[in-house]
Amino acid sequence: MEPAPVPVQYCSECGQPWPREELARFGDRLICSNCKIAYAQKLREGVASSGALTYAGFWIRFVASIIDYVILFVAGVVVQLLFAPMTRSGRMDLMLMALGAE
């Protein structure tokens, strides 16, 4: 009979695989012996641990993209109004400069 495989988990700091019994638990995080001293020092200094990120949902991102569009549209209109006299001047060099082609 083969021995049962050793359950492996990953260190929350370095990401290396370790046997479960060799990892120290700090709250919901598992820390290997190599990272334990540095992690304990971070806790003493009050450095926030890097936890899981919570991503925004579809509707929040959709509204954010609409807000981005409105801001860029207003900025584009302002730029066009600033360069409009150059394009109506009839001089080709000023028109090309206003369009960013020269």
Side-chain angles (χ1 to χ4, degrees):
M1 239 186 175
E2 288 185 33
V6 177
V8 173
Q9 289 191 318
Y10 295 88
C11 174
S12 297
E13 286 292 299
C14 65
Q16 296 297 316
W18 291 84
R20 186 180 303 162
E21 60 271 357
E22 291 187 28
L23 295 170
R25 183 169 293 280
F26 287 88
D28 62 342
R29 304 191 59 169
L30 295 173
I31 308 297
C32 71
S33 58
N34 294 337
C35 300
K36 189 167 102 174
I37 295 173
Y39 186 73
Q41 181 63 32
K42 284 183 188 179
L43 290 177
R44 282 192 294 271
E45 293 174 359
V47 176
S49 60
S50 59
L53 298 176
T54 304
Y55 294 101
F58 171 79
W59 290 110
I60 296 292
R61 292 183 298 155
F62 180 74
V63 171
S65 67
I66 290 175
I67 292 170
D68 289 345
Y69 174 78
V70 169
I71 291 170
L72 290 173
F73 178 78
V74 170
V77 168
V78 168
V79 170
Q80 286 179 356
L81 289 175
L82 290 175
F83 289 111
M86 287 184 182
T87 58
R88 284 189 237 126
S89 69
R91 290 184 47 198
M92 184 57 77
D93 60 337
L94 287 178
M95 284 189 241
L96 291 173
M97 186 172 28
L99 297 173
E102 190 174 285

